[in-house]
Amino acid sequence: MHEGGEPAADNADEIADRNIADAPDKELKQTSDRPLMIGVGASAGGFDAFCALLEALPAEPGFALIFVQHQDSGHEGLLTDLLARRSRMPVIEIKDPIHIQANHVYVAPADSKVSMSNGVLTLQRFDPASDRHKTIDTLLIALAQDQADNAVGVLLSGTASDGINGLKEIREMGGITLVQDARSARFNDLPLAAVQAGAADYVLPPAAIALELLRIAGAYPKFFRPRSEPQLKSAEHEILKKILIQVWALSGIDFSSYKQTTVKRRIERRIVLTKLTGFREYYEFLEKNPGEVQALYQDLMINVTHFFRESEVFHSLHTEILPKLLQNKTEGAPIRVWVPGCSSGEEVYSFAITLLEFLGEKASSAQIQIFGTDISDAAIERARAAFYPASIETDVSQQRLQRFFMKRDGGYQIAKPVRDLCVFARQNVFKDPPFSNLDIISCRNVLIYFGIELQRRVFPMFHYALNASGYLILGGSESIGSYATYFSLAHSKQKIYCKKNIAPQLMFEFSRGSAATERHNLLRPLRDDATRSLEPQREADRMILDKYGPPCVLINSDMIIIQFRGKTGLFLEPAAGTASFHLLRMAREGLAVPCHTAVQEAMAAQLPVRKDGIRFRSNGGFSVVDLSVMPLLSSGPEKFLLVTFENARHEDESSSEGTVAEMTMNENKSDPEETLRLQQELSATKEYLQSVIESQEAFNEELRSANEEILSANEELQSTNEELETAKEELQSANEELTTLNEELQIRNQDLANVNDDLSNLLNSINLAIIMLDGQLCVRRFTPLAEKLMNLIPSDVGRPFSDINPSIIAPGLPDIVREVIDTLATREMEVQDRDGRWYNLRIRPYKTMENRIDGALLALVDIGLTKQATERAERSAESLVIYADAMHEPVVMLTAADLRIYHANRAFCNRYQLTLAEIQHRRLNELGDPALNSQSLRYLLQDILPREQCINNFVLDAASGASVRLVVNARQIAPEGVREPMTLLAISERTEMAEN
């Protein structure tokens, strides 16, 4: 979980928790004087969208809108006037600091940065060089930090990526975000980038956004109550436990140990988003919709971060911390960094970049290991992919983008040298072992989400994991509080701490318990208002016990003092030498023997034991006390006892001195009281000695038994040592094999990277639209040209193809693709896009190297020019046909190669008394006319005509005795768009007199 807001204590636990981490959740509630605040950002095309949103809102919607749009200077006041004509609410341009009121629209001036503090809008100094494309982010981030879950972010039409980080910040703080859908936006680059970055709760057109804002404003007063109301009613308390059990069943993570204020707010946010009315209805919705359980789990994770967050920390790291760290490291020792709660990896890569910049030329020889861990599998996968949207340009300088990033697919990929330094893994810091020998731990803005018990376990773990001179970096809202004994402050402003060389008492519980055990822990009662109401009573009980109760100590079975109660200084004092809390070592002279005896008797009988009138030396004199030892009931294996000191009283020193003097003068005279006292001491001493003797005998017996066990264990260890020697040799052999295998894998990995680079360059260079689908018909890869034709974006990789809305018109395309996969037959079809351009779509199965079908490949070829040429050819041929039909003489069009009839006019068909259908595509010599079957005609048309191009008045030889001869006129033509030349043949008749 990542980052929260300002400190706010909601119960006694959180007040006590300020000593551990000073930042519970920031909660600003919807009240009459604090309306819901809507931040709206837009750039190109956003004016029309915002007008549509305003026109759909009533005059009193119950919330305030702050509008920021990228606009050129010199148009001051123009935007405000135009919006005032379209809005039913007053429209005010932000100038002086202005307190926000409900049912108003506030417009940022051109080239201005707007900030907010305590509901007051102010203008900040604007730097045209660095702030021109950050004005939306500036407003939304300030809105989120000032209003927390009382903020709503809206992003409308535009380009670039300004506003995406602001939406993420609002979601992180518990607010709701809305984005205009790509279809209704004039420029959809910004909305698409926001959706791709996962920063949108709703994606709607402007009018629908207005209706959704009205619904959210109506739902907020129900859930986001003032602090004075009870946090959890008893019914909600039980439902909340059941909801967390649902999340635990899905993720295996117990959120009951997280701050319940944060958990409750996140659940209420999901209730608003799902348009439900309460906890019980939401729980029933969860049972029927497993997808919502996943959505709630992701919301509870709060996976929000960005590059070089709190940039001053990285500046201090570069200038102060790293020089000191490397100064204390031996040459060749690795630099190890751990980032728990790394989310999607931006902070891990920020540390890697900072280290590379600091080391400079030495970076190639340095050993750097940076570990990023998170409990979210999805976050770890994004971190490993190392691909981020173009919106990171607002956080990363151009120099760093050019040096450490590669631009591709509309975003940025972390360069391979940086990725090689970072290792990502799923880890629960409360169940899994930590890393060790670390130089830096960066746990920023994570602890603020943990409950008291979780925080108490984290700091000893961090202390254990760090090297002697290691550093712990916390967020700006966090501190170590009562754990200052473990860490010293190295940089107060940036919350950087240095490890102290002490031995902390670790609280590790890394054993993976059964699911039943985890479920039992999850079902433990959550703290509610009834529990918190007992805190004053407990405090009163404590005060009474401290004032009127007897001094006592709580010890365990080893006589180690666990807790002091009351003023015990009269009876106990630290012993000289090594510090110890052992009861007998701290007992004053005369108390050790009775304490030992009473404790032994109480432990043996498990009953209270009382020793009255024990005389002991204290503060130079003697005192008398009644000692009692009471065993405590305990459900665990460890036993505890309460040792109390009652009725303590001082003896009169003068009386004692007089008694001593009297005893000195009258040695033979016995004092019955003194004799009784001495007898009691002697009896106690005998009992003590007897218990010591028994303990010693038992101890000796145990030593003899232990000695035998040690001898036996020694033999087993010798045998084990021989086995280990053998295993060592086997491990060395296996290590050599693994080294060889690792080298082979590195070579193959390099080959694979080269092939991937070749494939990427090939796909980016070919001028074809190609889409590769996997066996589940999900998008696997596509070329840049396919992005526009198929309406794809880089994040569509992995999405089902049926969810894509392509720009081409091809009804039933997914079904056709499935048919191709099933039949293994390639399909071709001609399709048009929405602009009327023609493409040839070829669909073929995708085959692997093993000749296995694993999807399909779609290729689009632009056939617009071919289609135009064909149409021109058809028009040209139609013109020739029309001309031929208009002639009275027989005219026929033939293919030049084989003299087949392409077309004949009506006069030609009538001459041979055949229809066009009967003679079309037949050879000329197949019509039955001897003249047309003559050798001279074929020679004329196939040999002479191609050279001459034109033949006029050629007379065909008639049959002997015939009075009519045929006169042929021929011309070779090449109609536009026709692949082969054509022969145009006109036939006329000539009548001759028969020879006498």
Side-chain angles (χ1 to χ4, degrees):
M1 301 178 77
H2 251 266
E3 192 157 335
E6 297 298 325
D10 289 320
N11 52 44
D13 280 345
E14 291 189 358
I15 294 174
D17 187 39
R18 289 182 184 275
N19 292 329
I20 300 174
D22 300 332
D25 301 323
K26 178 177 181 179
E27 299 178 12
L28 294 172
K29 304 299 182 288
Q30 168 85 348
T31 62
S32 58
D33 61 342
R34 186 179 293 278
L36 188 67
M37 308 237 179
I38 318 293
V40 185
S43 60
F47 173 77
D48 293 335
F50 190 57
C51 288
L53 189 153
L54 289 177
E55 291 172 351
L57 291 175
E60 296 184 357
F63 50 76
L65 293 101
I66 307 103
F67 181 57
V68 175
Q69 183 180 17
H70 292 174
Q71 52 180 324
D72 297 331
S73 58
H75 298 82
E76 288 78 1
L78 181 60
L79 179 61
T80 304
D81 295 339
L82 294 174
L83 290 175
R85 301 173 187 174
R86 311 289 287 273
S87 172
R88 298 182 180 91
M89 294 177 283
V91 180
I92 302 172
E93 183 173 356
I94 304 170
K95 293 182 180 178
D96 298 326
I98 182 170
H99 187 83
I100 295 181
Q101 299 179 6
N103 309 319
H104 284 69
V105 180
Y106 300 91
V107 181
D111 289 345
S112 297
K113 287 174 59 178
V114 180
S115 185
M116 175 183 290
S117 177
N118 296 322
V120 177
L121 291 173
T122 57
L123 295 180
Q124 294 182 332
R125 186 182 64 83
F126 182 81
D127 184 358
S130 60
D131 295 333
R132 180 170 297 278
H133 302 296
K134 296 181 181 180
T135 54
I136 302 176
D137 274 331
T138 301
L139 169 67
L140 297 183
I141 291 173
L143 185 65
Q145 294 177 350
D146 187 66
Q147 297 294 311
D149 52 24
N150 192 56
V152 176
V154 180
L155 215 54
L156 301 177
S157 169
T159 58
S161 57
D162 185 18
I164 295 178
N165 288 335
L167 290 188
K168 291 181 178 180
E169 191 80 14
I170 287 177
R171 293 191 76 200
E172 178 182 2
M173 301 297 286
I176 296 176
T177 59
L178 302 95
V179 174
Q180 184 179 2
D181 67 320
R183 291 187 178 181
S184 64
R186 284 184 57 193
F187 297 89
N188 59 15
D189 291 348
L190 182 57
L192 286 175
V195 174
Q196 179 183 352
D201 290 319
Y202 291 107
V203 181
L204 301 167
I209 289 177
L211 297 178
E212 193 61 34
L213 291 177
L214 293 172
R215 186 193 68 80
I216 293 172
Y220 258 56
K222 177 178 177 59
F223 293 103
F224 297 82
R225 297 179 288 269
R227 288 196 184 108
S228 59
E229 294 188 24
Q231 185 185 21
L232 277 179
K233 299 178 182 177
S234 58
E236 292 179 349
H237 167 79
E238 296 300 325
I239 294 297
L240 178 60
K241 289 197 298 184
K242 294 181 179 179
I243 291 174
L244 294 182
I245 290 174
Q246 291 270 17
V247 179
W248 168 84
L250 171 74
S251 62
I253 298 173
D254 179 7
F255 284 100
S256 65
S257 299
Y258 286 63
K259 284 221 174 87
Q260 294 306 297
T261 306
T262 303
V263 172
K264 177 175 174 287
R265 289 298 170 203
R266 288 286 157 176
I267 295 175
E268 288 176 336
R269 180 178 181 275
R270 294 305 308 175
I271 294 175
V272 173
L273 291 176
T274 51
K275 304 179 182 179
L276 300 176
T277 57
F279 281 88
R280 182 170 298 278
E281 185 179 1
Y282 183 68
Y283 172 67
E284 296 172 353
F285 182 78
L286 285 178
E287 289 186 314
K288 299 176 183 178
N289 298 272
E292 178 58 26
V293 182
Q294 178 68 31
L296 175 59
Y297 166 62
Q298 295 298 335
D299 235 11
L300 289 171
M301 298 305 300
I302 318 180
N303 288 319
V304 180
T305 183
H306 54 77
F307 283 96
F308 300 99
R309 194 172 200 169
E310 299 175 3
S311 58
E312 297 83 1
V313 173
F314 292 94
H315 177 72
S316 300
L317 190 70
H318 190 282
T319 58
E320 300 179 33
I321 304 304
L322 288 178
K324 295 179 182 178
L325 183 66
L326 295 183
Q327 184 178 0
N328 297 328
K329 292 189 73 67
T330 59
E331 186 176 357
I335 302 173
R336 293 166 60 88
V337 181
W338 179 27
V339 183
C342 68
S343 187
S344 49
E346 288 91 332
E347 184 168 356
V348 177
Y349 292 122
S350 298
F351 270 93
I353 292 172
T354 302
L355 278 169
L356 291 175
E357 290 177 338
F358 174 78
L359 294 173
E361 297 179 354
K362 299 179 181 178
S364 58
S365 59
Q367 298 183 43
I368 301 174
Q369 297 173 332
I370 305 178
F371 305 98
T373 62
D374 202 281
I375 58 177
S376 171
D377 290 318
I380 291 299
E381 289 300 321
R382 289 197 299 271
R384 287 172 178 162
F387 181 79
Y388 300 98
S391 58
I392 67 170
E393 294 174 350
T394 60
D395 304 316
V396 186
S397 64
Q398 285 298 321
Q399 293 80 2
R400 283 173 171 165
L401 288 174
Q402 294 174 3
R403 180 180 175 186
F404 301 108
F405 293 79
M406 297 179 297
K407 191 169 186 178
R408 68 173 184 84
D409 297 335
Y412 289 92
Q413 173 92 42
I414 301 289
K416 192 174 184 299
V418 181
R419 298 203 308 270
D420 290 343
L421 304 179
C422 306
V423 178
F424 294 95
R426 186 185 187 277
Q427 183 194 47
N428 187 337
V429 294
F430 310 115
K431 295 173 60 177
D432 301 326
F435 297 93
S436 60
N437 299 324
L438 298 168
D439 298 299
I440 297 174
I441 296 178
S442 176
C443 187
R444 299 195 298 153
N445 305 313
V446 177
L447 299 176
I448 55 177
Y449 297 106
F450 295 159
I452 300 173
E453 189 62 31
L454 296 182
Q455 292 179 357
R456 287 174 180 167
R457 294 167 58 185
V458 163
F459 285 105
M461 182 190 303
F462 288 165
H463 186 275
Y464 161 79
L466 285 170
N467 286 326
S469 58
Y471 291 90
L472 172 65
I473 304 177
L474 301 181
S477 300
E478 299 167 333
S479 69
I480 58 174
S482 61
Y483 286 89
T485 54
Y486 293 163
F487 300 94
S488 61
L489 192 60
H491 198 296
S492 59
K493 186 177 181 181
Q494 307 306 332
K495 298 296 180 68
I496 301 176
Y497 300 87
C498 184
K499 174 181 176 179
K500 289 183 178 179
N501 291 324
I502 64 169
Q505 182 179 358
L506 301 181
M507 301 177 63
F508 296 171
E509 297 179 8
F510 298 135
S511 59
R512 297 183 178 272
S514 63
T517 302
E518 294 185 10
R519 185 180 180 90
H520 174 75
N521 293 335
L522 182 64
L523 287 173
R524 66 183 181 274
L526 300 174
R527 296 182 59 87
D528 56 10
D529 295 303
T531 305
R532 286 194 298 274
S533 66
L534 296 176
E535 295 296 337
Q537 301 176 25
R538 293 175 180 173
E539 180 65 15
D541 294 341
R542 185 189 64 79
M543 294 175 65
I544 292 174
L545 288 173
D546 288 345
K547 186 172 183 179
Y548 301 105
C552 58
V553 290
L554 178 66
I555 64 173
N556 60 13
S557 57
D558 295 326
M559 297 192 192
I560 302 300
I561 298 175
I562 306 299
Q563 185 184 35
F564 295 89
R565 302 184 67 88
K567 298 179 180 180
T568 60
L570 180 65
F571 317 101
L572 305 174
E573 66 175 349
T578 304
S580 172
F581 282 124
H582 197 281
L583 176 63
L584 300 185
R585 291 202 61 187
M586 295 192 68
R588 290 186 180 269
E589 181 182 349
L591 281 179
V593 173
C595 285
H596 181 273
T597 304
V599 169
Q600 293 294 332
E601 292 178 2
M603 289 182 60
Q606 285 297 304
L607 293 172
V609 175
R610 184 179 181 88
K611 303 284 186 179
D612 294 332
I614 298 174
R615 189 168 180 268
F616 65 98
R617 184 179 293 277
S618 175
N619 299 327
F622 288 92
S623 299
V624 180
V625 68
D626 296 336
L627 176 71
S628 63
V629 180
M630 294 174 286
L632 301 182
L633 296 177
S634 175
S635 59
E638 190 172 5
K639 303 301 180 182
F640 298 93
L641 302 100
L642 186 67
V643 180
T644 61
F645 306 94
E646 305 176 18
N647 304 322
R649 54 195 181 277
H650 291 281
E651 290 187 346
D652 187 8
E653 293 184 5
S654 61
S655 175
S656 298
E657 293 175 357
T659 301
V660 173
E662 185 179 353
M663 289 177 62
T664 304
M665 291 183 294
N666 305 299
E667 295 181 355
N668 296 326
K669 185 177 181 180
S670 63
D671 187 345
E673 294 181 0
E674 182 66 17
T675 301
L676 179 62
R677 184 185 64 79
L678 292 175
Q679 288 176 348
Q680 289 176 348
E681 288 185 2
L682 180 60
S683 176
T685 304
K686 287 181 178 180
E687 292 178 0
Y688 174 68
L689 288 176
Q690 182 62 32
S691 66
V692 170
I693 292 171
E694 292 175 356
S695 299
Q696 185 66 31
E697 290 177 351
F699 182 67
N700 290 337
E701 186 65 29
E702 291 177 358
L703 282 178
R704 283 193 293 270
S705 176
N707 186 46
E708 294 175 358
E709 293 178 358
I710 289 173
L711 291 175
S712 175
N714 186 42
E715 296 175 358
E716 294 179 0
L717 285 174
Q718 289 178 351
S719 175
T720 304
N721 187 44
E722 295 174 358
E723 295 176 0
L724 288 175
E725 289 291 339
T726 304
K728 179 183 178 182
E729 296 176 359
E730 295 177 356
L731 285 175
Q732 288 176 344
S733 176
N735 188 44
E736 293 176 0
E737 295 179 4
L738 287 175
T739 302
T740 304
L741 180 60
N742 187 44
E743 293 177 356
E744 294 179 359
L745 289 176
Q746 288 179 347
I747 294 173
R748 292 187 181 182
N749 189 38
Q750 185 61 42
D751 293 341
L752 181 61
N754 294 336
V755 172
N756 191 47
D757 292 340
D758 294 342
L759 179 60
S760 298
N761 283 280
L762 176 63
L763 292 178
N764 291 333
S765 61
I766 61 176
N767 193 26
L768 289 176
I770 298 175
I771 304 174
M772 299 179 187
L773 307 179
D774 61 17
Q776 304 300 322
L777 295 191
C778 295
V779 177
R780 172 180 287 163
R781 190 188 291 268
F782 52 84
T783 61
L785 190 60
E787 290 190 37
K788 181 179 180 181
L789 295 180
M790 302 301 289
N791 198 21
L792 294 167
I793 57 177
S795 62
D796 286 334
V797 173
R799 285 184 58 192
F801 182 66
S802 57
D803 293 349
I804 306 299
N805 184 21
S807 298
I808 62 171
I809 302 173
L813 184 56
D815 295 332
I816 297 174
V817 174
R818 293 189 186 94
E819 181 183 349
V820 168
I821 295 176
D822 293 339
T823 61
L824 306 182
T826 302
R827 285 283 301 273
E828 286 194 38
M829 62 181 72
E830 294 183 356
V831 295
Q832 279 184 294
D833 63 8
R834 293 170 183 169
D835 295 329
R837 290 186 290 269
W838 283 92
Y839 298 89
N840 177 269
L841 173 61
R842 175 177 294 182
I843 308 172
R844 58 177 298 174
Y846 182 100
K847 293 184 180 180
T848 64
M849 295 294 292
E850 294 83 12
N851 203 27
R852 180 172 56 88
I853 303 302
D854 188 27
L857 187 142
L858 286 68
L860 284 165
V861 180
D862 191 345
I863 59 171
L865 297 177
T866 304
K867 201 75 175 176
Q868 294 175 5
T870 302
E871 292 175 354
R872 288 196 301 269
E874 291 176 354
R875 289 194 297 268
S876 177
E878 289 175 359
S879 300
L880 289 174
V881 169
I882 293 172
Y883 294 150
D885 289 342
M887 298 180 67
H888 296 289
E889 293 180 346
V891 177
V892 63
M893 293 176 62
L894 308 170
T895 57
D898 54 5
L899 300 182
R900 290 185 180 275
I901 298 174
Y902 177 77
H903 181 76
N905 66 355
R906 186 176 299 175
F908 187 88
C909 294
N910 292 339
R911 174 181 175 82
Y912 294 101
Q913 297 182 352
L914 296 171
T915 64
L916 178 61
E918 292 174 338
I919 66 174
Q920 199 169 22
H921 304 305
R922 295 175 62 182
R923 295 182 184 275
L924 190 64
N925 57 2
E926 295 175 357
L927 298 181
D929 189 342
L932 299 180
N933 193 27
S934 63
Q935 184 69 28
S936 59
L937 180 60
R938 286 199 299 274
Y939 176 74
L940 177 73
L941 296 179
Q942 292 183 332
D943 294 338
I944 298 177
L945 186 59
R947 296 195 302 270
E948 301 293 336
Q949 298 294 315
C950 180
I951 298 175
N952 296 318
N953 299 323
F954 177 78
V955 180
L956 294 177
D957 294 335
S960 59
S963 60
V964 178
R965 294 189 175 184
L966 299 180
V967 179
V968 175
N969 292 288
R971 180 178 295 275
Q972 193 169 55
I973 60 176
E976 184 179 4
V978 179
R979 296 180 179 178
E980 57 182 349
M982 305 287 289
T983 297
L984 185 64
L985 184 66
I987 302 173
S988 60
E989 297 180 352
R990 178 186 297 174
T991 304
E992 296 183 359
M993 297 298 296
E995 296 179 0
N996 294 327

